[in-house]
Amino acid sequence: MANTAQLLRRQSSRDIVLKTQRSIDQLELRELRGRLVPKEHGVSHHHHTSLHHHHQPMYGATNQGFMSDAFDESSELEQEPPFGSDTSTSRIKDEITTGVDQQQQQDIVEGEKEGEERESWDSKIMFLLATIGYAVGLGNVWRFPYLAQKNGGGAFLVPYFIMLCVQGIPIFYLELAIGQRLRKGAIGVWSQVSPYLGGIGISSAVVSFIVALYYNTIIAWCLIYLLHSFESPLPWADCPTRLYKNYTYDHEPECVASSPTQFYWYRTTLQCSESVDMPEHFNYHMAIALIVSWFLVYICMVQGITSSGKIVYMTAIFPYVVLIIFFFRGITLKGAADGVAHLFTPRWETLLDPVVWLEAGTQIFFSLGLAFGGLIAFSSYNPANNNCYRDAILVSMTNCGTSMFAGVVVFAVIGFKATATFDRCTEERASLVALNRTHNLPICDLQQELANSASGTGLAFIIFTEAINQFPGAQLWAVLFFLMLFTLGIDSQFGTLEGVVTSLVDMKLFPNLPKEYIVGALCLSCCVISMCFANGAGSYIFQLMDSFAGNFPLLIIALFECLSISYIYGVRRFSDDIEMMTGSRPGFYWMFCWKYLSPCAMVTILLASFYQLVTEGSSYPAWIAAMGATEKMEWPHWCIVVAFILILSSILWIPLVAILRLCGIKVVEDSDPAWFPEAELKEVHGIVPHEPTELERSVFCFNMDGTEGMCCPKYGLPEKSLEEEEE
């Protein structure tokens, strides 16, 4: 996720003279830069022809200025002098400075009405980097490799890519397209689809707020490790010593019973208590790290345009640089081939296990960052004629490619660690056999060592750090690794918070408050609440929120998004919108996914997840100091209550807003549709009314009169006939 607040060009009010000069400059450069001009300005036939061949999106202007590249100027050519003459230039100045009537300039100025200006991306590459940074997060590095080796190795890629095609890309495509078409944040978009659906946007904003609340804790952990990575030797390389009452020193028994990396993680960094019911003491180091991390998020989100380019290139590209460096380092290590082979060796029998399919679908869903509202917010700042289909395919495949590449890197390093452990075990076993000790010999199993890889924080802060300890120049590799995790995390944090901020701005809850103040208040409130993670039970609270607040609500929200487009807005109308924006109509497969396949897949995952939760229960790994190991413990009753509150506080907005609306109470105020160059886009792309095929009529219930069966389009946007548009 990337920082839209800093990536977007800030729109400032300009005086009349600057507006005049800007219009003249755009006219003078229209052929070279392919920009759009008002119909009234009049151009020569040569310029008119040039625009037809160079209709590229113009980034860096207000979205209302993103227009088609073709205008019917024949009548204007007869009435107006050629561009460049003194008469033409003076007339343009007079029109702008005297405030010509809005109807005379409705082709381009209509979207520039006061209060309707919307920020926009500086360039296409900025949008792509931001969206890739949003989608590619920590889960690609520490979740996918674990799931792949656990669920059949190479065989796991079969359900992984099937779920990508069935629910991942279709929902990603849907969110990009609807955001670009309606040009609002999540709340504004779904309220525009139907006033009864405003709760979907509110739910997305609430989930984003909750996830951002605990996600920043990971960034704080990365900052702690990054700071200590400059120490020599690394503080997690060896067990600390303890001073006893008889003034003798010895290694910490708890560390000896576990390992230096485990001890540093659980006892030094987290200062873990033995259960979630015993928070014990306040963790001041963690509190300071949280304050710093929230301050960094705030600074980056409100930073001006001068720093936006540097930040997005840093946060989106740097992780790939580090992964490539680790790749070339990893493949040269002893045992790397064994690790990669363990990851991708297929175990086809696992495909019969429904849990494998469940975890593949869940990983795809959360890896792409669906239903947070961030994708809708990002795409709402795009040009109206941006190819959202191409963006959806590109970003989705980049995300999945990153996951597999990260898996190779991680298991190359894990293979090195496992081989080193296996070699030490065989040496110890050989030395015991040489001493004729044949009892209680250690069991050395390379495959078991490879299978012992952890997921999530355990993989990053325990397994990987232990492998880095054995690298020459371990400090350098530690700095690179945790800096990579930091950039991955903060990039995702930007996109998550942007979904919240954009929704608040679009709802106009604080109409007179600048966006910078809203961001500051949001970050400050999150920082205060996140202090609940700065105690002995903080890591357990983090696991509670991660297990419940960030999975079930997102699946439910995405399900309602898909149903809303398919059965309320209408698949046919949605396809017409995409054709109008991109020039090409979505294929049969995408419409089939939106209406049938994707909802069925999400319902199946939801039911299977609930069944698994009921039958297997939910637990958390508590650190037991006396054992020097973790032990699974059941969540206490108050944690179950908190989990239900987290889930219900997110999804209850969907039915609540609809019910209150039926009772005449407006939770989300109605707003005018954002300006959209519908007629111009249709003219540019040569759009004609689509006549549904026989297959579309039978499968999607399309009627010849333009209506759609199993759909309630009357609650959506008012449709205009072609005659009305021409008028």
Side-chain angles (χ1 to χ4, degrees):
M1 312 174 200
N3 184 2
T4 304
Q6 44 161 227
L7 298 178
L8 302 177
R9 182 178 299 274
R10 304 195 178 279
Q11 304 297 325
S12 60
S13 60
R14 295 173 172 86
D15 56 32
I16 296 176
V17 176
L18 289 179
K19 285 186 177 180
T20 304
Q21 187 60 47
R22 182 182 61 179
S23 298
I24 295 174
D25 290 343
Q26 288 179 351
L27 287 169
E28 290 174 345
L29 297 174
R30 65 177 295 186
E31 182 177 5
L32 295 177
R33 304 181 65 176
R35 296 189 173 184
L36 303 172
V37 296
K39 180 166 69 175
E40 289 75 15
H41 288 180
V43 293
S44 66
H45 181 72
H46 173 73
H47 288 268
H48 174 69
T49 306
S50 175
L51 282 176
H52 278 285
H53 294 286
H54 300 282
H55 42 81
Q56 299 297 326
M58 184 183 72
Y59 286 83
T62 57
N63 278 339
Q64 291 75 8
F66 292 134
M67 307 217 13
S68 64
D69 302 291
F71 297 90
D72 183 12
E73 300 171 336
S74 57
S75 60
E76 302 297 331
L77 291 174
E78 298 174 359
Q79 301 174 9
E80 299 184 8
F83 175 74
S85 65
D86 295 338
T87 306
S88 175
T89 304
S90 61
R91 195 187 68 81
I92 295 171
K93 291 181 179 180
D94 291 339
E95 282 185 356
I96 300 177
T97 55
T98 57
V100 17
D101 184 70
Q102 292 290 331
Q103 189 64 27
Q104 291 178 315
Q105 299 186 21
Q106 69 178 42
D107 286 331
I108 188 169
V109 185
E110 183 178 19
E112 297 179 356
K113 295 175 183 177
E114 184 177 358
E116 292 187 9
E117 287 193 359
R118 190 170 186 84
E119 297 167 322
S120 63
W121 297 99
D122 281 339
S123 64
K124 178 72 171 183
I125 190 63
M126 287 293 183
F127 166 72
L128 289 176
L129 287 176
T131 312
I132 290 173
Y134 169 81
V136 175
L138 294 168
N140 299 76
V141 175
W142 69 26
R143 182 67 177 165
F144 173 81
Y146 165 76
L147 289 178
Q149 67 89 23
K150 171 192 171 187
N151 294 304
F156 179 74
L157 297 180
V158 175
Y160 182 77
F161 278 103
I162 289 178
M163 299 308 293
L164 172 68
C165 296
V166 168
Q167 69 169 18
I169 299 179
I171 304 300
F172 199 94
Y173 185 12
L174 181 149
E175 292 196 351
L176 288 184
I178 197 65
Q180 182 175 317
R181 170 62 181 89
L182 300 183
R183 321 200 70 69
K184 294 184 178 182
I187 294 178
V189 159
W190 299 115
S191 298
Q192 194 83 34
V193 171
S194 170
Y196 298 94
L197 298 177
I200 298 177
I202 298 179
S203 294
S204 293
V206 172
V207 171
S208 296
F209 176 81
I210 296 174
V211 171
L213 189 64
Y214 72 82
Y215 197 86
N216 214 45
T217 307
I218 303 175
I219 299 176
W221 293 336
C222 293
L223 285 176
I224 293 175
Y225 270 76
L226 179 61
L227 177 64
H228 291 289
S229 294
F230 292 95
E231 298 179 15
S232 182
L234 292 173
W236 51 81
D238 298 299
C239 287
T241 56
R242 171 189 286 188
L243 176 63
Y244 290 92
K245 293 182 179 180
N246 59 358
Y247 299 102
T248 59
Y249 287 92
D250 197 5
H251 289 295
E252 181 69 43
E254 185 179 345
C255 179
V256 174
S258 55
S259 69
T261 53
Q262 281 185 307
F263 179 83
Y264 188 83
W265 170 242
Y266 287 109
R267 299 300 292 168
T268 305
T269 303
L270 302 180
Q271 300 180 14
C272 277
S273 58
E274 294 196 353
S275 79
V276 70
D277 291 317
M278 298 184 294
E280 293 183 356
H281 50 271
F282 189 75
N283 189 341
Y284 291 97
H285 297 91
M286 188 65 198
I288 294 173
L290 283 168
I291 294 173
V292 172
S293 62
W294 278 113
F295 179 74
L296 290 175
V297 170
Y298 168 75
I299 290 297
C300 292
M301 290 195 71
V302 300
Q303 195 71 11
I305 192 67
T306 55
S307 301
S308 63
K310 298 178 183 178
I311 294 177
V312 69
Y313 282 114
M314 173 68 177
T315 56
I317 297 178
F318 182 76
Y320 288 97
V321 175
V322 176
L323 280 177
I324 292 172
I325 294 173
F326 267 97
F327 170 76
F328 286 107
R329 180 68 183 97
I331 60 176
T332 61
L333 298 171
K334 180 182 179 182
D338 294 324
V340 176
H342 178 79
L343 172 64
F344 288 115
T345 299
R347 301 186 295 277
W348 300 110
E349 67 278 2
T350 59
L351 295 180
L352 301 177
D353 186 357
V355 176
V356 174
W357 293 81
L358 171 63
E359 294 194 337
T362 305
Q363 172 63 16
I364 280 292
F365 189 89
F366 300 119
S367 176
L368 290 174
L370 306 176
F372 280 102
L375 288 174
I376 294 177
F378 282 0
S379 62
S380 71
Y381 302 114
N382 265 331
N385 57 346
N386 177 62
N387 194 328
C388 53
Y389 170 70
R390 183 176 55 198
D391 294 342
I393 298 295
L394 175 62
V395 176
S396 299
M397 298 309 297
T398 300
N399 178 74
C400 295
T402 303
S403 294
M404 288 186 287
F405 182 61
V408 172
V409 173
V410 168
F411 267 85
V413 176
I414 288 179
F416 163 71
K417 171 187 169 294
T419 301
T421 304
F422 176 76
D423 290 343
R424 287 195 300 270
C425 179
T426 53
E427 290 175 4
E428 181 182 353
R429 182 183 178 91
S431 62
L432 291 175
V433 171
L435 297 174
N436 294 324
R437 296 181 183 179
T438 57
H439 298 288
N440 299 324
L441 292 176
I443 300 175
C444 305
D445 188 348
L446 179 60
Q447 294 303 314
Q448 185 59 40
E449 289 292 335
L450 290 169
N452 286 338
S453 61
S455 171
T457 55
L459 174 62
F461 297 105
I462 298 176
I463 303 297
F464 217 86
T465 52
E466 187 174 338
I468 289 176
N469 287 339
Q470 304 175 48
F471 284 11
Q475 287 77 16
L476 173 62
W477 296 105
V479 168
L480 287 175
F481 179 68
F482 290 111
L483 190 57
M484 177 190 71
L485 293 184
F486 171 77
T487 54
L488 283 172
I490 205 166
D491 226 10
S492 300
Q493 184 74 340
F494 292 153
T496 305
L497 282 177
E498 183 60 32
V500 182
V501 173
T502 305
S503 296
L504 292 175
V505 172
D506 287 348
M507 285 184 70
K508 296 182 174 59
L509 294 178
F510 312 99
N512 299 322
L513 199 63
K515 189 173 181 179
E516 291 79 2
Y517 287 25
I518 296 177
V519 172
L522 181 65
C523 291
L524 179 61
S525 61
C526 287
C527 183
V528 173
I529 299 174
S530 64
M531 289 300 111
C532 67
F533 302 114
N535 60 72
S539 62
Y540 306 140
I541 298 174
F542 171 87
Q543 293 174 48
L544 177 70
M545 298 181 71
D546 188 40
S547 300
F548 295 99
N551 50 20
F552 295 111
L554 290 174
L555 278 169
I556 295 172
I557 292 170
L559 175 62
F560 275 94
E561 288 183 353
C562 208
L563 294 176
S564 299
I565 290 297
S566 300
Y567 299 99
I568 296 180
Y569 191 85
V571 170
R572 181 171 182 174
R573 177 193 289 182
F574 190 52
S575 300
D576 290 341
D577 290 343
I578 294 175
E579 182 181 16
M580 176 175 56
M581 292 186 294
T582 65
S584 58
R585 194 172 185 84
F588 177 87
Y589 173 76
W590 302 112
M591 293 189 289
F592 189 77
C593 282
W594 291 327
K595 196 152 191 173
Y596 302 114
L597 272 185
S598 297
C600 289
M602 286 183 283
V603 169
T604 302
I605 291 176
L606 269 174
L607 294 177
S609 299
F610 279 122
Y611 176 78
Q612 188 179 39
L613 181 63
V614 171
T615 56
E616 299 180 7
S618 180
S619 59
Y620 67 99
W623 178 257
I624 309 301
M627 299 169 50
T630 58
E631 185 178 84
K632 283 192 174 183
M633 299 183 66
E634 295 294 326
W635 291 109
H637 294 300
W638 69 269
C639 287
I640 300 298
V641 173
V642 171
F644 273 102
I645 291 175
L646 290 173
I647 295 174
L648 294 177
S649 65
S650 302
I651 63 174
L652 276 182
W653 289 101
I654 299 176
L656 182 62
V657 169
I659 293 172
L660 292 177
R661 187 81 186 195
L662 286 172
C663 298
I665 302 174
K666 297 181 181 179
V667 178
V668 180
E669 291 295 328
D670 296 333
S671 60
D672 295 331
W675 182 87
F676 191 79
E678 183 173 348
E680 291 81 6
L681 286 174
K682 287 183 177 180
E683 184 178 354
V684 169
H685 297 302
I687 304 298
V688 296
H690 174 72
E691 182 177 349
T693 63
E694 185 64 32
L695 182 62
E696 289 176 342
R697 289 198 295 268
S698 59
V699 174
F700 303 117
C701 306
F702 290 170
N703 301 319
M704 295 301 296
D705 60 357
T707 60
E708 182 175 341
M710 301 173 61
C711 181
C712 306
K714 61 183 179 181
Y715 293 115
L717 295 171
E719 295 188 15
K720 295 182 179 179
S721 64
L722 292 178
E723 291 78 13
E724 292 175 335
E725 291 176 0
E726 292 176 357
E727 294 176 0

